Amino acid sequence: EQRMTATWLSKMELATYLGITTRTVDRWRKDADFYKFPTPRYIAGRPRWHIKEVDNWMSKQPTKLR
């Protein structure tokens, strides 16, 4: 199992961390009003998600998403 130590995750790292595809990340971002998915910050022109925001969001999801 790969251990995530980064504070900011790229889309690929985020997908791996959550056990989903990058397409699912895109879908959750597109329908953010429904999923309430954390908004990424842009670092060097690339979207990055803060791991604590993602963990907080996951803790509020139905079991099916976990």
Side-chain angles (χ1 to χ4, degrees):
E1 178 181 326
Q2 181 181 357
R3 187 164 185 260
M4 295 287 178
T5 57
T7 302
W8 294 95
L9 303 176
S10 68
K11 181 166 53 171
M12 181 60 77
E13 291 168 332
L14 177 64
T16 300
Y17 182 68
L18 296 176
I20 60 175
T21 66
T22 56
R23 181 68 188 106
T24 299
V25 173
D26 291 338
R27 223 176 11 258
W28 289 354
R29 286 179 67 190
K30 184 177 180 182
D31 201 358
D33 289 341
F34 178 76
Y35 291 106
K36 307 290 187 225
F37 196 63
T39 303
R41 308 302 187 284
Y42 283 81
I43 300 172
R46 303 277 187 181
R48 297 286 188 258
W49 289 263
H50 196 280
I51 197 165
K52 288 184 179 181
E53 290 178 4
V54 173
D55 287 343
N56 184 46
W57 178 80
M58 280 300 292
S59 73
K60 296 176 181 175
Q61 300 311 303
T63 308
K64 188 173 182 177
L65 282 180
R66 290 191 218 158

Coordinates of all heavy atoms in Angstrom, one line a residue:
E1 N 0.8 -1.2 0.0 CA 0.0 0.0 0.0 C 0.9 1.2 0.0 O 1.8 1.3 0.8 CB -0.9 0.0 1.2 CG -1.8 1.2 1.4 CD -2.6 1.2 2.6 OE1 -3.0 0.1 3.0 OE2 -2.9 2.2 3.2
Q2 N 0.6 2.2 -0.9 CA 1.4 3.4 -1.0 C 0.9 4.4 0.1 O -0.3 4.5 0.3 CB 1.2 4.0 -2.4 CG 2.0 5.3 -2.5 CD 1.8 5.9 -3.9 OE1 1.1 5.3 -4.7 NE2 2.3 7.0 -4.2
R3 N 1.8 4.9 0.8 CA 1.5 5.9 1.8 C 1.5 7.3 1.3 O 2.5 7.7 0.7 CB 2.5 5.8 3.0 CG 2.1 6.6 4.2 CD 2.9 6.1 5.4 NE 2.4 6.8 6.5 CZ 3.0 7.9 7.1 NH1 4.1 8.3 6.6 NH2 2.5 8.5 8.1
M4 N 0.4 8.0 1.4 CA 0.4 9.4 0.9 C 1.0 10.3 2.0 O 0.5 10.4 3.1 CB -1.1 9.8 0.6 CG -1.7 9.1 -0.5 SD -1.0 9.6 -2.1 CE -1.8 8.5 -3.2
T5 N 2.0 11.1 1.6 CA 2.6 12.0 2.6 C 2.4 13.5 2.1 O 2.7 14.4 2.9 CB 4.1 11.7 2.8 OG1 4.7 11.8 1.5 CG2 4.3 10.4 3.4
A6 N 2.0 13.6 0.9 CA 1.8 15.0 0.3 C 0.6 15.7 1.0 O -0.4 15.1 1.3 CB 1.6 14.9 -1.2
T7 N 0.8 17.0 1.2 CA -0.3 17.8 1.7 C -1.3 18.1 0.6 O -2.5 18.1 0.8 CB 0.2 19.1 2.3 OG1 1.1 18.7 3.4 CG2 -0.9 19.9 2.9
W8 N -0.8 18.4 -0.6 CA -1.6 18.7 -1.8 C -1.5 17.6 -2.8 O -0.4 17.1 -3.1 CB -1.0 20.0 -2.4 CG -1.2 21.2 -1.5 CD1 -0.3 21.7 -0.7 CD2 -2.4 22.0 -1.4 NE1 -0.8 22.8 0.0 CE2 -2.1 23.0 -0.4 CE3 -3.6 22.0 -2.0 CZ2 -3.0 24.0 0.0 CZ3 -4.6 22.9 -1.6 CH2 -4.3 23.9 -0.6
L9 N -2.7 17.1 -3.2 CA -2.7 16.0 -4.1 C -3.1 16.4 -5.5 O -4.0 17.3 -5.7 CB -3.8 15.0 -3.7 CG -3.6 14.4 -2.2 CD1 -4.8 13.5 -1.9 CD2 -2.3 13.7 -2.1
S10 N -2.4 15.9 -6.5 CA -2.8 16.1 -7.9 C -4.1 15.3 -8.2 O -4.5 14.5 -7.3 CB -1.7 15.6 -8.9 OG -1.6 14.2 -8.8
K11 N -4.7 15.4 -9.4 CA -5.9 14.7 -9.7 C -5.6 13.2 -9.7 O -6.4 12.4 -9.1 CB -6.5 15.1 -11.0 CG -7.7 14.3 -11.4 CD -8.5 14.9 -12.5 CE -7.8 15.1 -13.8 NZ -8.7 15.5 -14.9
M12 N -4.5 12.7 -10.2 CA -4.1 11.3 -10.2 C -3.9 10.8 -8.8 O -4.4 9.7 -8.4 CB -2.9 11.1 -11.1 CG -2.5 9.6 -11.1 SD -3.8 8.5 -11.9 CE -3.6 8.9 -13.6
E13 N -3.2 11.6 -8.0 CA -2.9 11.2 -6.6 C -4.3 11.1 -5.8 O -4.5 10.2 -5.0 CB -2.0 12.2 -5.9 CG -0.6 12.1 -6.4 CD 0.3 13.2 -6.0 OE1 -0.2 14.3 -5.7 OE2 1.5 13.0 -5.9
L14 N -5.1 12.1 -6.1 CA -6.4 12.1 -5.4 C -7.3 10.9 -5.8 O -7.8 10.2 -4.9 CB -7.2 13.4 -5.8 CG -8.6 13.5 -5.3 CD1 -8.6 13.6 -3.7 CD2 -9.3 14.8 -5.9
A15 N -7.3 10.5 -7.1 CA -8.0 9.4 -7.5 C -7.5 8.1 -6.8 O -8.2 7.3 -6.4 CB -8.0 9.3 -9.0
T16 N -6.2 8.0 -6.8 CA -5.5 6.8 -6.2 C -5.9 6.8 -4.7 O -6.2 5.7 -4.1 CB -4.0 6.9 -6.3 OG1 -3.7 6.8 -7.7 CG2 -3.3 5.7 -5.7
Y17 N -5.8 7.9 -4.0 CA -6.1 8.0 -2.6 C -7.5 7.6 -2.3 O -7.8 6.9 -1.3 CB -5.8 9.5 -2.1 CG -6.0 9.7 -0.7 CD1 -5.2 9.2 0.3 CD2 -7.1 10.5 -0.2 CE1 -5.4 9.4 1.6 CE2 -7.3 10.8 1.1 CZ -6.4 10.2 2.0 OH -6.6 10.5 3.4
L18 N -8.5 8.0 -3.1 CA -9.9 7.7 -2.9 C -10.3 6.3 -3.5 O -11.4 5.9 -3.3 CB -10.8 8.8 -3.4 CG -10.6 10.1 -2.8 CD1 -11.5 11.2 -3.5 CD2 -10.9 10.0 -1.3
G19 N -9.4 5.7 -4.3 CA -9.8 4.4 -5.0 C -10.8 4.6 -6.1 O -11.7 3.8 -6.3
I20 N -10.7 5.7 -6.8 CA -11.6 6.0 -7.9 C -10.8 6.3 -9.1 O -9.6 6.4 -9.1 CB -12.5 7.2 -7.5 CG1 -11.7 8.5 -7.2 CG2 -13.5 6.8 -6.4 CD1 -12.5 9.7 -7.0
T21 N -11.5 6.6 -10.2 CA -10.8 7.0 -11.5 C -10.7 8.5 -11.5 O -11.5 9.2 -10.9 CB -11.5 6.5 -12.7 OG1 -12.8 7.1 -12.8 CG2 -11.7 5.0 -12.7
T22 N -9.8 9.0 -12.4 CA -9.7 10.5 -12.6 C -11.0 11.0 -13.2 O -11.4 12.1 -13.0 CB -8.5 10.9 -13.4 OG1 -8.6 10.2 -14.7 CG2 -7.2 10.5 -12.7
R23 N -11.7 10.2 -14.0 CA -13.0 10.5 -14.6 C -14.0 10.8 -13.5 O -14.8 11.8 -13.6 CB -13.5 9.4 -15.6 CG -14.7 9.8 -16.2 CD -14.6 10.9 -17.2 NE -15.9 11.3 -17.7 CZ -16.6 12.4 -17.4 NH1 -16.0 13.3 -16.5 NH2 -17.7 12.7 -17.8
T24 N -14.0 10.0 -12.5 CA -14.9 10.3 -11.4 C -14.6 11.6 -10.7 O -15.5 12.3 -10.3 CB -14.9 9.1 -10.4 OG1 -15.3 7.9 -11.0 CG2 -15.8 9.3 -9.2
V25 N -13.3 11.9 -10.5 CA -12.9 13.2 -9.9 C -13.5 14.3 -10.8 O -14.1 15.3 -10.3 CB -11.4 13.3 -9.8 CG1 -11.0 14.7 -9.4 CG2 -10.8 12.3 -8.9
D26 N -13.4 14.2 -12.1 CA -13.9 15.2 -13.0 C -15.4 15.3 -12.9 O -15.9 16.4 -12.9 CB -13.6 14.8 -14.5 CG -12.1 14.9 -14.8 OD1 -11.4 15.7 -14.1 OD2 -11.7 14.3 -15.8
R27 N -16.1 14.2 -12.8 CA -17.6 14.2 -12.6 C -18.0 14.9 -11.3 O -18.9 15.7 -11.3 CB -18.1 12.8 -12.7 CG -19.3 12.6 -13.5 CD -19.8 11.2 -13.6 NE -19.3 10.2 -12.8 CZ -18.4 9.3 -13.2 NH1 -17.9 9.3 -14.5 NH2 -17.9 8.3 -12.4
W28 N -17.3 14.6 -10.2 CA -17.6 15.2 -8.9 C -17.3 16.7 -9.0 O -18.0 17.5 -8.4 CB -16.8 14.5 -7.8 CG -17.2 13.1 -7.5 CD1 -18.3 12.5 -8.0 CD2 -16.6 12.2 -6.6 NE1 -18.4 11.2 -7.4 CE2 -17.4 11.1 -6.6 CE3 -15.5 12.3 -5.8 CZ2 -17.1 10.0 -5.8 CZ3 -15.2 11.2 -5.0 CH2 -15.9 10.1 -5.0
R29 N -16.3 17.1 -9.7 CA -16.0 18.5 -9.8 C -17.0 19.2 -10.6 O -17.4 20.3 -10.3 CB -14.6 18.7 -10.5 CG -13.4 18.4 -9.6 CD -12.1 18.7 -10.4 NE -11.9 20.1 -10.7 CZ -11.0 20.5 -11.5 NH1 -10.2 19.7 -12.1 NH2 -10.9 21.8 -11.7
K30 N -17.4 18.6 -11.7 CA -18.4 19.2 -12.6 C -19.8 19.4 -11.9 O -20.4 20.4 -12.2 CB -18.6 18.3 -13.9 CG -19.5 18.9 -14.9 CD -19.6 18.0 -16.1 CE -20.6 18.6 -17.1 NZ -20.7 17.8 -18.3
D31 N -20.2 18.5 -11.1 CA -21.4 18.6 -10.4 C -21.2 18.9 -8.9 O -21.7 18.2 -8.0 CB -22.2 17.3 -10.6 CG -23.7 17.5 -10.3 OD1 -24.1 18.7 -10.0 OD2 -24.5 16.6 -10.5
A32 N -20.3 19.9 -8.6 CA -19.9 20.2 -7.3 C -21.1 20.6 -6.4 O -21.0 20.4 -5.2 CB -18.8 21.3 -7.3
D33 N -22.1 21.2 -7.0 CA -23.3 21.6 -6.1 C -23.9 20.4 -5.5 O -24.4 20.4 -4.4 CB -24.3 22.4 -7.0 CG -23.8 23.8 -7.3 OD1 -22.8 24.3 -6.6 OD2 -24.3 24.4 -8.2
F34 N -24.0 19.3 -6.3 CA -24.6 18.0 -5.8 C -23.6 17.3 -4.8 O -24.0 16.9 -3.7 CB -25.0 17.1 -7.0 CG -25.6 15.8 -6.5 CD1 -26.9 15.8 -6.1 CD2 -24.8 14.7 -6.5 CE1 -27.4 14.6 -5.6 CE2 -25.4 13.5 -6.1 CZ -26.7 13.4 -5.7
Y35 N -22.4 17.1 -5.2 CA -21.5 16.3 -4.5 C -20.8 17.1 -3.3 O -20.2 16.5 -2.4 CB -20.4 15.7 -5.4 CG -20.9 14.7 -6.3 CD1 -21.1 14.9 -7.6 CD2 -21.3 13.4 -5.8 CE1 -21.6 14.0 -8.5 CE2 -21.8 12.4 -6.7 CZ -21.9 12.7 -8.0 OH -22.4 11.8 -8.8
K36 N -20.8 18.4 -3.4 CA -20.1 19.3 -2.4 C -18.7 18.9 -2.3 O -18.0 19.0 -1.3 CB -20.8 19.2 -1.0 CG -22.3 19.4 -1.0 CD -22.6 20.8 -1.3 CE -24.1 21.0 -1.1 NZ -24.7 21.8 -2.1
F37 N -18.1 18.6 -3.5 CA -16.7 18.2 -3.6 C -15.8 19.4 -3.3 O -16.1 20.4 -3.8 CB -16.4 17.5 -4.9 CG -15.1 16.7 -4.9 CD1 -15.0 15.6 -4.1 CD2 -14.1 17.1 -5.8 CE1 -13.8 14.9 -4.2 CE2 -12.9 16.4 -5.8 CZ -12.8 15.3 -5.0
P38 N -14.7 19.2 -2.6 CA -13.8 20.3 -2.3 C -13.3 21.0 -3.6 O -12.9 20.3 -4.6 CB -12.6 19.7 -1.5 CG -13.2 18.4 -1.0 CD -14.2 17.9 -1.9
T39 N -13.2 22.3 -3.6 CA -12.7 23.0 -4.7 C -11.2 23.0 -4.7 O -10.6 23.2 -3.6 CB -13.2 24.5 -4.6 OG1 -14.6 24.5 -4.6 CG2 -12.7 25.3 -5.8
P40 N -10.6 22.7 -5.8 CA -9.1 22.6 -5.8 C -8.5 24.0 -5.8 O -9.1 25.0 -6.2 CB -8.8 21.9 -7.1 CG -9.9 22.2 -8.0 CD -11.1 22.3 -7.1
R41 N -7.3 24.1 -5.4 CA -6.5 25.3 -5.5 C -5.6 25.1 -6.7 O -5.2 23.9 -7.0 CB -5.6 25.6 -4.3 CG -6.3 25.6 -2.9 CD -7.4 26.6 -2.8 NE -7.9 26.7 -1.5 CZ -8.7 25.8 -0.9 NH1 -9.1 24.7 -1.6 NH2 -9.2 26.0 0.3
Y42 N -5.2 26.1 -7.4 CA -4.3 26.0 -8.5 C -2.9 26.3 -8.1 O -2.7 27.5 -7.7 CB -4.8 26.8 -9.7 CG -6.0 26.1 -10.4 CD1 -7.3 26.2 -9.9 CD2 -5.8 25.3 -11.5 CE1 -8.4 25.5 -10.4 CE2 -6.9 24.6 -12.1 CZ -8.1 24.7 -11.5 OH -9.2 24.0 -12.1
I43 N -2.0 25.4 -8.2 CA -0.6 25.6 -7.9 C 0.2 25.3 -9.2 O 0.0 24.2 -9.8 CB -0.2 24.6 -6.8 CG1 -1.1 24.9 -5.5 CG2 1.3 24.7 -6.5 CD1 -0.9 23.9 -4.4
A44 N 0.9 26.3 -9.6 CA 1.7 26.2 -10.9 C 0.7 25.8 -12.0 O 1.1 25.1 -12.9 CB 2.8 25.2 -10.7
G45 N -0.5 26.4 -12.0 CA -1.5 26.2 -13.1 C -2.2 24.8 -13.1 O -2.9 24.5 -14.0
R46 N -1.9 24.0 -12.0 CA -2.5 22.7 -12.0 C -3.4 22.6 -10.7 O -3.1 23.1 -9.7 CB -1.5 21.6 -11.8 CG -0.5 21.6 -12.9 CD -1.0 20.9 -14.1 NE 0.0 20.7 -15.1 CZ -0.2 20.1 -16.3 NH1 -1.4 19.6 -16.5 NH2 0.8 20.0 -17.1
P47 N -4.6 21.9 -10.8 CA -5.5 21.8 -9.7 C -4.9 20.8 -8.7 O -4.3 19.8 -9.0 CB -6.8 21.2 -10.3 CG -6.4 20.5 -11.5 CD -5.2 21.3 -12.0
R48 N -4.9 21.2 -7.4 CA -4.4 20.4 -6.3 C -5.5 20.5 -5.2 O -6.1 21.5 -4.9 CB -3.1 21.0 -5.7 CG -2.0 21.0 -6.7 CD -1.5 19.5 -6.9 NE -0.3 19.5 -7.7 CZ -0.2 19.2 -9.0 NH1 -1.3 18.9 -9.6 NH2 0.9 19.1 -9.6
W49 N -5.7 19.3 -4.5 CA -6.6 19.2 -3.4 C -5.8 19.0 -2.1 O -4.9 18.2 -2.0 CB -7.6 18.1 -3.6 CG -8.5 18.3 -4.7 CD1 -9.8 18.7 -4.5 CD2 -8.4 18.1 -6.1 NE1 -10.4 18.8 -5.7 CE2 -9.6 18.5 -6.7 CE3 -7.3 17.7 -6.9 CZ2 -9.7 18.4 -8.1 CZ3 -7.5 17.6 -8.2 CH2 -8.7 18.0 -8.8
H50 N -6.3 19.8 -1.1 CA -5.6 19.6 0.2 C -6.2 18.3 0.9 O -7.4 18.1 1.0 CB -5.9 20.8 1.1 CG -5.0 20.9 2.3 ND1 -5.2 20.1 3.4 CD2 -3.9 21.6 2.5 CE1 -4.2 20.4 4.3 NE2 -3.4 21.3 3.7
I51 N -5.3 17.5 1.3 CA -5.6 16.2 1.8 C -6.6 16.3 3.0 O -7.5 15.5 3.2 CB -4.4 15.3 2.2 CG1 -4.8 13.8 2.3 CG2 -3.7 15.8 3.4 CD1 -3.6 12.9 2.2
K52 N -6.4 17.3 3.9 CA -7.4 17.4 5.0 C -8.8 17.8 4.6 O -9.7 17.3 5.2 CB -6.8 18.4 6.0 CG -5.6 17.9 6.8 CD -5.1 18.9 7.8 CE -3.9 18.3 8.5 NZ -3.4 19.2 9.6
E53 N -8.9 18.6 3.5 CA -10.2 18.9 3.0 C -10.9 17.7 2.4 O -12.1 17.5 2.6 CB -10.1 20.0 2.0 CG -9.7 21.4 2.5 CD -9.6 22.4 1.4 OE1 -9.9 22.2 0.2 OE2 -9.2 23.6 1.8
V54 N -10.1 16.9 1.7 CA -10.6 15.7 1.1 C -11.1 14.7 2.2 O -12.2 14.1 2.2 CB -9.6 15.0 0.2 CG1 -10.1 13.6 -0.3 CG2 -9.3 15.9 -1.0
D55 N -10.2 14.5 3.2 CA -10.6 13.6 4.4 C -11.9 14.1 5.1 O -12.7 13.3 5.4 CB -9.4 13.5 5.4 CG -8.3 12.7 4.9 OD1 -8.5 11.9 3.9 OD2 -7.2 12.8 5.4
N56 N -12.0 15.4 5.3 CA -13.1 16.0 5.9 C -14.4 15.8 5.1 O -15.4 15.4 5.6 CB -12.9 17.5 6.1 CG -14.1 18.1 6.9 OD1 -14.6 17.6 7.9 ND2 -14.5 19.3 6.4
W57 N -14.3 16.0 3.7 CA -15.4 15.7 2.8 C -15.8 14.2 2.9 O -17.0 13.9 3.0 CB -15.0 16.1 1.4 CG -16.0 15.9 0.4 CD1 -17.1 16.7 0.1 CD2 -16.1 14.8 -0.5 NE1 -17.9 16.1 -0.9 CE2 -17.3 14.9 -1.3 CE3 -15.3 13.7 -0.7 CZ2 -17.7 14.0 -2.3 CZ3 -15.7 12.7 -1.7 CH2 -16.9 12.9 -2.4
M58 N -14.8 13.3 2.8 CA -15.1 11.9 2.8 C -15.8 11.5 4.1 O -16.7 10.6 4.1 CB -13.8 11.1 2.7 CG -13.3 11.0 1.3 SD -14.5 10.2 0.1 CE -14.6 8.5 0.8
S59 N -15.5 12.1 5.2 CA -16.1 11.7 6.5 C -17.6 12.1 6.6 O -18.3 11.5 7.4 CB -15.3 12.4 7.7 OG -15.6 13.8 7.7
K60 N -18.0 13.0 5.7 CA -19.4 13.4 5.6 C -20.2 12.7 4.6 O -21.4 13.0 4.4 CB -19.4 14.9 5.4 CG -18.8 15.7 6.5 CD -18.8 17.2 6.2 CE -18.1 17.9 7.3 NZ -18.0 19.3 7.0
Q61 N -19.6 11.7 3.8 CA -20.3 11.0 2.7 C -21.0 9.8 3.2 O -20.6 9.2 4.2 CB -19.3 10.7 1.6 CG -18.6 11.9 1.0 CD -19.6 13.0 0.7 OE1 -20.5 12.8 -0.1 NE2 -19.4 14.2 1.2
P62 N -22.0 9.4 2.5 CA -22.7 8.1 2.8 C -21.7 7.0 2.7 O -20.7 7.1 1.9 CB -23.8 8.0 1.7 CG -23.9 9.3 1.1 CD -22.6 10.1 1.4
T63 N -21.9 5.9 3.4 CA -21.0 4.8 3.4 C -20.7 4.3 2.0 O -19.6 3.8 1.7 CB -21.6 3.6 4.2 OG1 -21.9 4.1 5.5 CG2 -20.6 2.5 4.4
K64 N -21.7 4.4 1.1 CA -21.5 3.9 -0.3 C -20.3 4.5 -1.0 O -19.6 3.9 -1.8 CB -22.8 4.1 -1.1 CG -22.7 3.4 -2.5 CD -24.0 3.5 -3.1 CE -24.0 2.8 -4.5 NZ -25.2 2.7 -5.2
L65 N -20.0 5.8 -0.7 CA -18.9 6.5 -1.4 C -17.6 6.2 -0.7 O -16.5 6.4 -1.2 CB -19.1 8.0 -1.3 CG -20.1 8.6 -2.3 CD1 -20.2 10.1 -2.1 CD2 -19.7 8.3 -3.7
R66 N -17.6 5.7 0.5 CA -16.3 5.4 1.2 C -15.7 4.1 0.8 O -16.3 3.2 0.4 CB -16.6 5.4 2.7 CG -16.9 6.7 3.3 CD -16.8 6.7 4.7 NE -17.9 7.6 5.2 CZ -18.4 7.6 6.4 NH1 -18.1 6.7 7.3 NH2 -19.4 8.4 6.7

